[in-house]
Amino acid sequence: MAAEGSTQQRRRVMAAASAASTSGAGRCRLSKIGASRRPPPARVRVAVRLRPFVDGTAGASDPPCVRGMDSCSLEIANWRNHQETLKYQFDAFYGERSTQQDIYAGSVQPILRHLLEGQNASVLAYGPTGAGKTHTMLGSPEQPGVIPRALMDLLQLTREEGAEGRPWALSVTMSYLEIYQEKVLDLLDPASGDLVIREDCRGNILIPGLTQKPITSFADFERHFLPASRNRTVGATRLNQRSSRSHAVLLVKVDQRERLAPFRQREGKLYLIDLAGSEDNRRTGNKGLRLKESGAINTSLFVLGKVVDALNQGLPRVPYRDSKLTRLLQDSLGGSAHSILIANIAPERCFYLDTVSALNFAARSKEVINRPFTNESLQPHVLGPVKLSQKELLGPPEAKRARGPEEEEIGSPEPMAAPASASQKLSPLQKLSSMDPAMLERLLSLDRLLASQGSQGAPLLSTPKRERMVLMKTVEEKDLEIERLKTKQKELEAKMLAQKAEEKENHCPTMLRPLSHRTVTVAKPLKKAVVMPLQLIQEQAASPNAEIHILKNKGRKRKLESLDALEPEEKAEDCWELQISPELLAHGRQKILDLLNEGSARDLRSLQRIGPKKAQLIVGWRELHGPFSQVEDLERVEGITGKQMESFLKANILGLAAGQRCGPS
């Protein structure tokens, strides 16, 4: 029954892992070695380290708030109910008596072998300020931490695997940077300034301009790393005299190149990350610059928590780009790296809330699924650029068809004698006379080795038929394009020659036509129309030499007609100036004055612009003040303004000119 129960439990674990991998399919990149086969999942492994009490700190004499139960689990007091405890289980738990070697050998050393397989790995130290993260990663000369131990073992592995006679040649480079207030700074070259984080077409995170130092021994590593470590930003707070004010990232890259065919190359990256601790400014006493640094640290760690939550929930968008730290850790969390998270906690009760927060983050992080794969590719330009003629590209049958008739008539001389043995066969590599002699000799020896082993198939440098046909088609298209351009050029030259000959015959050189000048229209003087009474017009029309103009409006155009002219003459002017003769004006004013003095209210209403109300006002004013002496006296009548008087005169005088009735009936 026990075996059956364990089998069922194992099945449930496998089903949960399968579901987690399905939910994370959108956020994990596929393997570069085969798109049809997804790489196996690898969960982020989490280890918790409890540091011992520090002498001189508050609460050093109090009992610890955290207690380890075994090598994988611990318990902490429940702040809601002091009678209960909260239990956590991780991949490893290291108590206050654990040494640096225990942590390195138990959690970090097993992932170094993945670098030699072309895969990525990362180690992160997480925890509140003063919990011992930097001590875990760097250590001291007496107790070296994870970074020096990992570099020492990695360099030893690369020397063994890259020794003479092994199939791979290995090289190691290192880079060291810090993220200080959302700025990426190169610790190996502090003068380089703020660097940018990019992503290449294959999804790899890279930093252009970051210094890379080749290292072959641990002495080389110390020569570069120790001066760079002194460039890291540190500061004193109430809780830590040397508090890290930035996130430090040591990047170690292992490049492998295969010495024999097919000349593959692999690249593995190791990220060793010392995160700055989250800080409670009420206890650290940060002010000014320290307060600003603390805000940047807490913000980046908050985004880190959001990334972990998004990965666990399977959200479509993971906020990697919200912080420089999470952008750099994109491979480590939900990416393509074997990741180890070392959560550092403190036993003092004053660190209780920070410890609970760190344990909760570690518990969420161990649910993150990564998908490591091998970064492997073929070395580009191994054989160097080869320039072949068109006949060599076409091959024997195609070259025979491409030969001209003269070559077919001449033919070839006596055929060469057949080689005596297969070892004397001329290799296609011997045509590459421009190649480096050492490389050529190496390739020839490899070709002879393959020939001696009886390998069948096409030679190393032979072009496949499909590629040959593509090249042949491309060459034909280029030739047709060249012929078309030549024909077009000849046509243009012939056209130019014909144009020059025509110019010589006409004896007039080709000259540019002058630009047409803009026609300026001069405004014509306004015409004047004289308005006269109809009776005067009839009297003047009776005379033989009379010419009277009458203004008429027909649509938008105005025509000036002459009584003697048969055809009207259109004029472009749309505005006329009205001019009334003095006699007609005096006659009209007198008639209006007579009507004002003698006419009744009904007669006054026959005038234009005079209504019943104004007519009664005029009659009443006349009874009170007597007759009007002039027409302008109308302004004295209540209710008649100067503008009304002006319009009144114009309207009634024009009416008189047109022969309208303006007197009493």
Side-chain angles (χ1 to χ4, degrees):
M1 294 295 292
E4 184 178 357
S6 62
T7 303
Q8 294 179 357
Q9 184 179 2
R10 192 181 305 111
R11 290 178 180 175
R12 286 196 297 269
V13 172
M14 294 297 293
S18 176
S21 63
T22 304
S23 64
R27 62 177 181 268
C28 299
R29 293 186 293 273
L30 296 179
S31 173
K32 295 183 177 63
I33 59 177
S36 61
R37 183 180 61 186
R38 299 182 64 190
R43 182 176 55 82
V44 175
R45 300 180 62 84
V46 178
V48 177
R49 183 182 189 183
L50 177 63
R51 70 160 171 79
F53 282 95
V54 178
D55 297 335
T57 59
S61 59
D62 297 337
C65 62
V66 182
R67 183 174 64 90
M69 301 177 63
D70 53 31
S71 61
C72 295
S73 59
L74 58 93
E75 64 178 2
I76 185 173
N78 188 358
W79 64 278
R80 291 188 177 91
N81 188 354
H82 296 286
Q83 303 298 327
E84 297 177 357
T85 58
L86 302 175
K87 295 181 175 58
Y88 293 89
Q89 188 169 2
F90 301 100
D91 297 289
F93 172 71
Y94 302 99
E96 58 270 15
R97 295 179 179 235
S98 301
T99 61
Q100 300 276 59
Q101 177 62 25
D102 296 338
I103 298 170
Y104 172 74
S107 298
V108 180
Q109 192 175 23
I111 68 171
L112 295 181
R113 58 181 177 85
H114 297 295
L115 297 174
L116 301 182
E117 299 173 359
Q119 299 181 2
N120 299 336
S122 61
V123 180
L124 297 89
Y126 180 88
T129 180
K133 300 180 299 299
T134 305
H135 177 73
T136 300
M137 297 302 292
L138 295 179
S140 61
E142 298 79 15
Q143 296 180 354
V146 170
I147 290 179
R149 293 176 186 270
L151 265 296
M152 194 175 299
D153 287 353
L154 182 60
L155 292 171
Q156 181 64 26
L157 286 174
T158 55
R159 280 195 297 267
E160 293 175 358
E161 294 295 328
E164 202 65 37
R166 293 298 184 97
W168 295 88
L170 284 81
S171 62
V172 182
T173 59
M174 63 165 287
S175 301
Y176 198 23
L177 62 96
E178 71 171 353
I179 301 177
Y180 176 71
Q181 295 189 17
E182 288 301 303
K183 294 181 181 179
V184 180
L185 305 178
D186 189 354
L187 295 178
L188 293 174
D189 184 13
S192 59
D194 187 14
L195 303 177
V196 295
I197 302 176
R198 302 293 188 194
E199 183 176 356
D200 62 6
C201 59
R202 297 182 297 175
N204 297 322
I205 301 299
L206 51 90
I207 303 177
L210 184 63
T211 305
Q212 295 186 8
K213 297 289 186 180
I215 53 176
T216 57
S217 62
F218 190 75
D220 294 341
F221 168 73
E222 286 185 327
R223 187 172 68 253
H224 299 304
F225 182 77
L226 294 180
S229 298
R230 290 191 286 269
N231 295 329
R232 186 182 179 185
T233 307
V234 295
T237 63
R238 291 180 184 176
L239 301 179
N240 191 355
Q241 291 300 320
R242 286 188 56 81
S243 175
S244 300
R245 315 310 296 165
S246 63
H247 308 292
V249 180
L250 175 64
L251 173 59
V252 182
K253 188 183 298 184
V254 180
D255 291 322
Q256 306 178 65
R257 297 181 182 273
E258 198 172 14
R259 290 190 170 102
L260 300 176
F263 303 104
R264 296 171 297 174
Q265 63 179 7
R266 293 175 179 173
E267 181 183 82
K269 297 178 183 178
L270 175 62
Y271 293 91
L272 299 170
I273 305 164
D274 180 15
L275 298 175
S278 59
E279 295 181 348
D280 186 354
N281 294 318
R282 294 171 296 182
R283 295 193 295 115
T284 57
N286 291 329
K287 295 180 182 179
L289 179 60
R290 293 290 175 263
L291 184 62
K292 186 177 180 181
E293 295 170 349
S294 176
I297 293 171
N298 292 336
T299 300
S300 60
L301 294 177
F302 174 72
V303 176
L304 180 62
K306 287 172 55 179
V307 168
V308 172
D309 292 338
L311 292 173
N312 290 335
Q313 297 174 15
L315 298 180
R317 178 187 178 274
V318 182
Y320 289 117
R321 296 177 181 267
D322 291 359
S323 172
K324 296 288 184 67
L325 175 64
T326 53
R327 181 67 168 153
L328 194 61
L329 297 181
Q330 189 167 343
D331 283 339
S332 304
L333 296 174
S336 60
H338 297 271
S339 299
I340 301 293
L341 176 67
I342 303 176
N344 295 263
I345 58 177
E348 291 87 358
R349 290 187 176 273
C350 60
F351 285 91
Y352 175 79
L353 294 178
D354 295 331
T355 300
V356 172
S357 177
L359 291 176
N360 290 335
F361 175 80
R364 300 196 309 270
S365 299
K366 73 175 184 178
E367 304 297 331
V368 177
I369 303 297
N370 292 350
R371 292 189 176 275
F373 54 81
T374 300
N375 296 293
E376 184 176 289
S377 61
L378 293 177
Q379 298 183 28
H381 310 294
V382 173
L383 301 177
V386 182
K387 294 183 180 180
L388 300 178
S389 63
Q390 182 177 357
K391 295 181 181 179
E392 292 175 344
L393 290 173
L394 298 178
E398 291 82 1
K400 185 176 180 181
R401 290 195 298 269
R403 286 189 306 176
E406 297 180 358
E407 296 181 4
E408 292 181 357
E409 291 178 2
I410 296 175
S412 59
E414 303 230 348
M416 297 176 60
S421 61
S423 61
Q424 299 176 358
K425 188 182 298 184
L426 183 62
S427 172
L429 295 174
Q430 295 178 359
K431 299 179 182 179
L432 307 177
S433 57
S434 61
M435 186 178 290
D436 184 20
M439 180 62 71
L440 181 60
E441 181 63 28
R442 193 170 174 180
L443 292 176
L444 289 174
S445 62
L446 177 60
D447 192 32
R448 287 193 295 269
L449 177 62
L450 294 176
S452 63
Q453 293 178 356
S455 61
Q456 301 295 331
L460 289 177
L461 297 182
S462 63
T463 306
K465 184 177 180 180
R466 181 178 298 178
E467 297 181 6
R468 232 178 16 247
M469 297 300 294
V470 172
L471 290 174
M472 180 178 175
K473 186 176 180 180
T474 304
V475 171
E476 290 178 355
E477 292 177 354
K478 296 297 182 183
D479 291 342
L480 291 176
E481 182 69 17
I482 292 173
E483 292 296 331
R484 187 182 66 82
L485 293 176
K486 288 182 178 179
T487 304
K488 189 174 182 180
Q489 184 180 2
K490 289 180 180 179
E491 293 177 357
L492 292 175
E493 291 178 354
K495 189 175 180 180
M496 292 297 296
L497 292 175
Q499 187 176 1
K500 289 182 179 179
E502 185 178 355
E503 290 175 358
K504 289 181 179 179
E505 291 177 0
N506 297 333
H507 299 286
C508 58
T510 304
M511 298 178 63
L512 294 177
R513 295 181 178 179
L515 295 176
S516 58
H517 296 286
R518 183 177 178 181
T519 305
V520 181
T521 304
V522 181
K524 296 181 179 180
L526 295 176
K527 296 291 184 178
K528 296 182 180 180
V530 179
V531 180
M532 301 179 65
L534 184 61
Q535 296 177 355
L536 295 178
I537 293 175
Q538 293 176 355
E539 293 176 358
Q540 292 181 8
S543 62
N545 297 328
E547 184 178 3
I548 303 173
H549 297 83
I550 300 176
L551 186 66
K552 295 184 180 181
N553 184 8
K554 295 183 179 180
R556 294 186 179 180
K557 294 183 179 180
R558 296 182 178 181
K559 295 182 179 180
L560 193 65
E561 295 182 356
S562 176
L563 295 179
D564 295 340
L566 297 178
E567 295 182 0
E569 179 183 1
E570 289 192 2
K571 296 295 180 180
E573 294 81 1
D574 291 336
C575 31
W576 298 78
E577 182 180 348
L578 183 63
Q579 183 176 358
I580 303 175
S581 61
E583 297 81 3
L584 180 61
L585 182 60
H587 179 71
R589 292 172 67 91
Q590 184 61 38
K591 278 189 169 292
I592 293 173
L593 184 61
D594 295 342
L595 186 60
L596 291 176
N597 292 328
E598 300 174 0
S600 63
R602 182 179 178 182
D603 298 334
L604 291 173
R605 286 201 304 271
S606 65
L607 292 172
Q608 298 188 28
R609 309 295 176 89
I610 298 296
K613 185 176 180 180
K614 289 184 179 180
Q616 293 294 335
L617 290 174
I618 293 173
V619 172
W621 190 91
R622 187 176 61 191
E623 292 176 355
L624 292 175
H625 300 88
F628 293 91
S629 61
Q630 57 182 356
V631 180
E632 282 76 5
D633 291 342
L634 277 176
E635 295 182 1
R636 300 164 59 185
V637 179
E638 184 179 1
I640 299 179
T641 62
K643 290 184 179 180
Q644 292 176 346
M645 183 64 194
E646 183 179 356
S647 62
F648 168 78
L649 289 175
K650 288 183 179 180
N652 286 280
I653 291 175
L654 287 175
L656 290 172
Q660 295 180 356
R661 177 185 177 186
C662 62
S665 57

